[in-house]
């Protein structure tokens, strides 16, 4: 939930760390801080607010620079966001500084013990406890920083990615991870440390991803030593060549990352099915599915675990798998699944969906499913992420980096991957005829063009956004495949505009939400031609007679809904199972424009973080 950056090498550390923190702000942005060592003095500067606020403060407070440093952008867990609780945190002696992403669950007991030994705490954070624990171990055991970190971490319960610097051993930074990501960029005579590779991409494409329960001692002009935290065994560093480039993580002329990512969807969907869908030969080929075909075909059921938008993609997949492949599917919030003693057997296939691949609840659900013997398949966007590595097999979404906190292209590419898997299984099971299969592939290939067409409604949607931007509530209704899209539309609006919104199956409206409808209530109804169209038109009639304001998402050329609705937004016609890939687009744009018109921070909405690595 927090972003970590570090540098050790011949360059000035400050610009590398500041620019790196800006790229990691999607991970948390309620406060930021930096520690720089200039060869003699260790300077720390931190502040509530964003990295730009840190820059302004730094300008006043720190004149000298240095070529070793660590920086942090925070999403608060323990302690409100303020200057004192911001990272880095000093140890009591002032020799050690630490930055931390994660939660130390037994921090209270450790804190009490340290207080008994005379330690004083300035902040409310678990992190300050950890840095003082390391200091205490160093003193008691008379060991170097690396060893002290290792001993201290063996006393800690919780999750962490940390970077620690000790001014009495100024040629090294010690890092460690358990449950929170950490990458090392390997340059010539220099090393970069970061929560993901984006801060060091312009300097090096060589990266080492630390595994859980590993730590590394990174020394100036020396090799990296990676060890297992528990048993001290040495690990051979595996240096990967990254394929990502800088353009992919910049705004490319768009006002916001979210808008850029909405517009990237035709390309992202194409990238996701490219090489997997072959229309000429009428095949879908995904090696991870082929390799595990027996497990998929023998499965009693598929259990999908995910959170947030990924959970909505899972709901869409439930309709697709059951409809096309006739495999029973259950979709679970990962956070609930892990705590309710679920019945999982070796005959279950669990699919975990996650854009970041780092979501703590999803990761825990995977571990639980694996412990019960289930085969676990991951659908992730971030290559090499924890979930991608923890699952038995998986398929990447190839959406490219998603920086906007509100998930957009991750959703449509997740649906793309899951649809491909469902179609492949349907073919293998014989639940789809070869002519239908061919027709489905043909239509699939037309989706990117149709998404482009749906994006053409942008200006029209902006006008609708302007009419409704000041309301306090929204309802979203959809049926079948488009019920999860209604949930997703409501989530998008809530998280970036802070307008209360709820999604419902259209027919459920009469069982309660209808009471909310009056002339002030806008209701977005997904009413595309395929999929219970007449029933949805009846629901629209019911809204109309209660004076609700209707924004219909309709198929091109629609007449019936147009006659009833206050506004319609057209999307091209497609097969029903592919329709969420189109109906989602106007809902993303509607929430985007409302949030912009309200002056909200679209890419970094309050209280949220892109990657939720805490429970
Ligand atoms: O990285 P994940 O897909 O596992 O993240 C899950 C949710 O935290 C995420 O989808 C969240 O709901 C987004 N802010 C939605 O836009």
């Amino acid at each position: 939930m927090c972003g970590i950056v570090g540098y050790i090498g011949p360059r000035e550390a400050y610009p590398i760390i500041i620019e790196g923190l800006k790229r990691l702000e999607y991970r948390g942005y309620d406060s930021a801080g930096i520690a720089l060592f200039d060869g003699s003095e260790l300077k720390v500067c931190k502040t509530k607010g964003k990295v730009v606020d840190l820059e302004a403060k730094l300008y006043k407070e720190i004149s000298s620079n240095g070529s070793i440093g660590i920086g942090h952008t925070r999403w608060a867990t323990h302690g409100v966001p303020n200057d004192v609780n911001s990272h880095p945190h000093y140890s009591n002696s002032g020799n050690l500084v630490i930055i931390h992403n994660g939660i130390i669950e037994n921090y209270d007991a450790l804190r009490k013990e340290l207080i008994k030994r005379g330690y004083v705490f300035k902040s409310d954070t678990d992190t300050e406890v950890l840095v003082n624990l390391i200091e205490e171990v160093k003193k008691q055991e008379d060991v170097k920083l690396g060893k002290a970190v290792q001993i201290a971490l063996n006393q800690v319960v919780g999750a962490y990615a940390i970077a620690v610097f000790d001014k009495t051993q100024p040629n090294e930074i010690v890092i460690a991870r358990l449950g929170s990501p950490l990458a090392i960029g390997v340059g010539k005579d220099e090393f970069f440390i970061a929560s993901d590779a984006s801060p060091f991409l312009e300097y090096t494409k060589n990266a080492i991803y630390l595994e859980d329960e590993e730590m590394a001692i990174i020394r100036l002009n020396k090799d990296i030593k990676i060890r297992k935290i528990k048993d001290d065994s040495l690990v051979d560093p595996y240096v990967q060549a990254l394929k990502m480039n800088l353009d992919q993580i910049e705004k490319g002329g768009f006002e916001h990352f979210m808008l850029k990512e909405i517009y990237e969807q035709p390309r992202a969907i194409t990238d996701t099915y490219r090489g997997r869908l072959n229309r000429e030969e009428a095949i879908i080929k995904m090696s991870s599915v082929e390799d595990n075909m027996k497990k998929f075909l023998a499965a009693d059921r598929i259990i999908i675990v995910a959170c947030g938008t990924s959970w909505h993609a899972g709901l869409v997949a439930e309709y697709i798998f059951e409809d096309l492949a006739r495999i029973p599917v259950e979709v679970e919030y990962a956070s609930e699944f892990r705590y309710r003693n679920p019945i999982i057997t070796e005959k279950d296939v669990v699919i975990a969906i996650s854009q970041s691949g780092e979501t703590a609840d999803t990761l825990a659900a995977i571990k639980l499913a694996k412990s019960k013997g289930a085969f676990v398949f991951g659908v992730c966007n971030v290559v090499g992420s924890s979930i991608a590595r923890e699952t038995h097999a998986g398929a990447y979404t190839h959406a490219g980096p998603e920086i906007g906190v509100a998930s957009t292209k991750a959703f449509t590419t997740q649906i793309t991957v899951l649809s491909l898997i469902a179609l492949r299984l349907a073919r293998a099971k014989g639940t789809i005829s070869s002519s239908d299969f061919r027709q489905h592939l043909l239509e699939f290939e037309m989706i990117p063009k149709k998404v482009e067409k749906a994006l053409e409604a942008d200006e029209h949607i902006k006008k609708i956004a302007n009419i409704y931007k000041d309301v306090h509530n929204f309802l979203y209704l959809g049926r079948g495949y488009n019920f999860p899209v209604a949930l997703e539309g409501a989530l998008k609006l809530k998280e970036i505009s802070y307008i209360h919104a709820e999604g419902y199956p259209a027919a459920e409206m009469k069982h309660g939400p209808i009471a909310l409808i009056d002339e002030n209530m806008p209701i977005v109804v997904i009413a595309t031609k395929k999929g219970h169209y007449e029933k949805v038109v009846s629901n629209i009639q019911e809204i109309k007679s209660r004076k609700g304001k209707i924004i219909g998402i309709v198929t091109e050329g629609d007449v019936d809904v147009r006659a009833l609705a206050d506004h319609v937004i057209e999307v091209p016609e497609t097969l029903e199972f592919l329709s969420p890939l189109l109906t989602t687009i106007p809902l993303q744009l509607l929430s985007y424009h409302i949030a912009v018109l309200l002056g909200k921070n679209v890419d970094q909405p309050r209280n949220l973080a892109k990657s939720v690595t805490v429970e």
Side-chain angles (χ1 to χ4, degrees):
M1 301 294 293
C2 303
I4 283 181
V5 188
Y7 177 76
I8 182 164
R11 301 177 206 247
E12 287 204 347
Y14 167 74
I16 296 168
I17 294 173
I18 286 293
E19 289 313 309
L21 288 179
K22 286 182 185 164
R23 289 198 193 133
L24 291 182
E25 266 193 318
Y26 73 87
R27 301 181 62 82
Y29 36 80
D30 56 43
S31 45
I34 191 167
L36 295 168
F37 185 69
D38 66 3
S40 58
E41 265 192 282
L42 175 63
K43 300 242 175 87
V44 169
C45 178
K46 51 194 199 170
T47 184
K48 178 173 188 266
K50 297 189 187 293
V51 179
V52 286
D53 302 308
L54 176 69
E55 267 185 301
K57 195 169 177 188
L58 264 164
Y59 184 72
K60 287 190 211 131
E61 288 185 8
I62 295 187
S63 49
S64 61
N65 211 316
S67 59
I68 297 183
I70 53 178
H72 188 264
T73 178
R74 180 172 186 243
W75 185 85
T77 56
H78 292 72
V80 295
N82 61 24
D83 291 3
V84 178
N85 288 333
S86 310
H87 301 212
H89 287 281
Y90 274 117
S91 64
N92 272 198
S93 70
N95 288 339
L96 273 55
V97 277
I98 192 171
I99 50 176
H100 168 216
N101 169 28
I103 294 178
I104 307 300
E105 287 169 13
N106 59 336
Y107 88 105
D108 197 34
L110 293 169
R111 190 176 207 260
K112 284 185 181 134
E113 189 52 41
L114 288 166
I115 288 171
K116 274 196 219 152
R117 293 176 189 216
Y119 282 83
V120 177
F121 292 94
K122 294 189 186 122
S123 76
D124 305 318
T125 64
D126 49 347
T127 308
E128 196 187 6
V129 174
L130 181 56
V131 71
N132 281 305
L133 178 65
I134 296 168
E135 176 151 293
E136 177 63 8
V137 170
K138 200 167 173 261
K139 206 163 64 187
Q140 292 300 327
E141 306 279 333
D142 193 20
V143 287
K144 297 256 188 209
L145 179 68
K147 195 69 193 165
V149 168
Q150 186 182 21
I151 296 170
L153 290 179
N154 276 310
Q155 297 176 29
V156 151
V157 179
Y160 51 78
I162 56 166
V164 196
F165 175 77
D166 178 355
K167 74 174 181 191
T168 67
Q169 286 172 240
N171 287 335
E172 66 185 42
I173 298 175
V174 177
I175 63 170
R177 79 159 269 182
L178 175 61
S180 301
L182 214 43
I184 306 166
V186 183
K188 190 175 171 323
D189 302 326
E190 60 183 351
F191 297 106
F192 306 80
I193 299 155
S195 300
D196 71 34
S198 60
F200 55 75
L201 272 183
E202 68 250 61
Y203 304 104
T204 179
K205 291 276 170 61
N206 294 326
I208 299 170
Y209 286 93
L210 224 56
E211 297 285 342
D212 269 350
E213 301 189 335
E214 284 180 1
M215 59 180 288
I217 300 176
I218 303 172
R219 292 204 178 100
L220 197 58
N221 300 325
K222 293 245 171 69
D223 286 347
I224 299 173
K225 286 266 177 304
I226 301 180
R227 291 182 182 278
K228 292 273 180 205
I229 295 167
K230 276 211 178 114
D231 63 12
D232 200 37
S233 54
L234 267 176
V235 176
D236 265 347
Y238 169 58
V239 183
Q240 294 186 30
L242 300 174
K243 295 210 180 82
M244 203 190 293
N245 58 48
L246 210 54
D247 300 351
Q248 291 177 288
I249 53 168
E250 286 178 345
K251 278 190 204 152
F254 284 90
E255 202 183 334
H256 297 100
F257 281 112
M258 182 181 175
L259 190 62
K260 174 185 172 231
E261 287 157 8
I262 291 173
Y263 271 85
E264 276 176 349
Q265 287 174 107
R267 197 265 314 140
I269 293 170
T270 311
D271 286 351
T272 301
Y273 71 60
R274 181 180 291 129
R276 293 166 165 169
L277 183 161
N278 184 332
R279 186 177 45 80
E280 284 81 22
E281 292 178 31
I283 50 170
I284 286 174
K285 209 165 174 193
M286 299 172 80
S287 55
S288 53
V289 177
E290 300 306 324
D291 294 348
N292 296 289
M293 188 57 91
K294 273 195 188 142
K295 291 195 179 87
F296 276 108
L297 295 183
D300 280 345
R301 59 178 178 164
I302 291 174
I303 303 170
I304 295 179
V305 291
C307 302
T309 290
S310 298
W311 183 76
H312 295 154
L315 289 178
V316 175
E318 178 180 22
Y319 284 88
I320 300 175
F321 274 100
E322 293 197 344
D323 193 8
L324 298 178
R326 307 302 296 149
I327 302 173
V329 177
E330 285 169 28
V331 188
E332 303 265 3
Y333 282 118
S335 54
E336 287 299 307
F337 180 75
R338 60 182 291 199
Y339 284 121
R340 66 165 177 76
N341 194 14
I343 298 161
I344 314 166
T345 75
E346 287 170 9
K347 292 200 79 184
D348 288 325
V349 166
V350 172
I351 299 183
I353 310 172
S354 174
Q355 187 286 128
S356 63
E358 301 293 344
T359 300
D361 287 318
T362 310
L363 203 48
I366 291 167
K367 288 180 181 162
L368 175 70
K370 278 172 76 180
S371 74
K372 307 266 181 189
F375 169 68
V376 186
F377 189 92
V379 175
C380 295
N381 189 36
V382 177
V383 175
S385 56
S386 301
I387 292 178
R389 284 179 286 136
E390 189 64 40
T391 41
H392 292 118
Y396 285 115
T397 49
H398 302 314
E402 191 181 67
I403 310 287
V405 166
S407 199
T408 51
K409 62 177 179 171
F411 180 66
T412 45
T413 53
Q414 286 163 347
I415 295 173
T416 302
V417 164
L418 292 159
S419 303
L420 290 172
I421 299 173
L423 277 168
R424 176 66 191 97
L425 296 182
R427 197 69 201 109
K429 287 186 72 182
T431 51
I432 188 169
S433 70
S434 72
S435 63
D436 279 357
F437 186 70
R438 275 177 188 279
Q439 204 231 333
H440 284 34
L441 299 193
L442 181 66
E443 185 59 27
F444 219 132
E445 280 198 335
M446 288 159 77
I447 287 294
K449 280 267 163 279
K450 293 189 176 184
V451 173
E452 271 170 23
K453 193 83 207 316
L455 287 165
E456 285 173 14
D458 196 3
E459 274 308 307
H460 171 55
I461 294 170
K462 193 171 174 181
K463 288 185 189 131
I464 299 173
N466 202 29
I467 298 170
Y468 295 103
K469 68 180 193 308
D470 296 316
V471 303
H472 297 296
N473 296 290
F474 255 88
L475 271 181
Y476 286 74
L477 304 178
R479 286 192 85 142
Y481 287 93
N482 281 301
F483 158 53
V485 176
L487 294 178
E488 174 61 7
L491 176 64
K492 284 290 86 83
L493 187 69
K494 274 185 272 210
E495 66 180 337
I496 60 170
S497 72
Y498 320 143
I499 293 173
H500 173 243
E502 286 190 62
Y504 273 96
E508 272 295 302
M509 183 185 67
K510 57 187 172 296
H511 298 287
I514 199 164
L516 294 167
I517 296 175
D518 62 15
E519 66 280 8
N520 299 314
M521 175 67 94
I523 299 137
V524 178
V525 190
I526 304 162
T528 44
K529 269 279 155 50
K530 307 227 170 60
H532 321 288
Y533 178 71
E534 288 77 18
K535 304 271 181 213
V536 179
V537 172
S538 304
N539 296 138
I540 291 175
Q541 299 270 19
E542 290 156 12
I543 299 167
K544 180 101 181 146
S545 47
R546 284 154 185 91
K547 301 197 170 62
K549 299 281 182 275
I550 299 154
I551 303 166
I553 311 298
V554 299
T555 309
E556 266 169 1
D558 179 279
V559 180
D560 299 351
V561 177
R562 188 176 287 273
L564 296 167
D566 296 86
H567 317 271
V568 291
I569 304 168
E570 291 188 338
V571 294
E573 186 162 5
T574 188
L575 295 173
E576 196 184 352
F577 85 100
L578 293 169
S579 66
L581 296 171
L582 303 182
T583 51
T584 303
I585 308 297
L587 305 194
Q588 293 171 345
L589 287 169
L590 183 66
S591 58
Y592 170 80
H593 286 302
I594 290 178
V596 171
L597 288 164
L598 291 174
K600 305 297 182 205
N601 187 339
V602 172
D603 285 332
Q604 295 175 345
R606 70 182 181 204
N607 305 337
L608 289 173
K610 183 73 184 157
S611 154
V612 185
T613 56
V614 293
E615 278 191 48

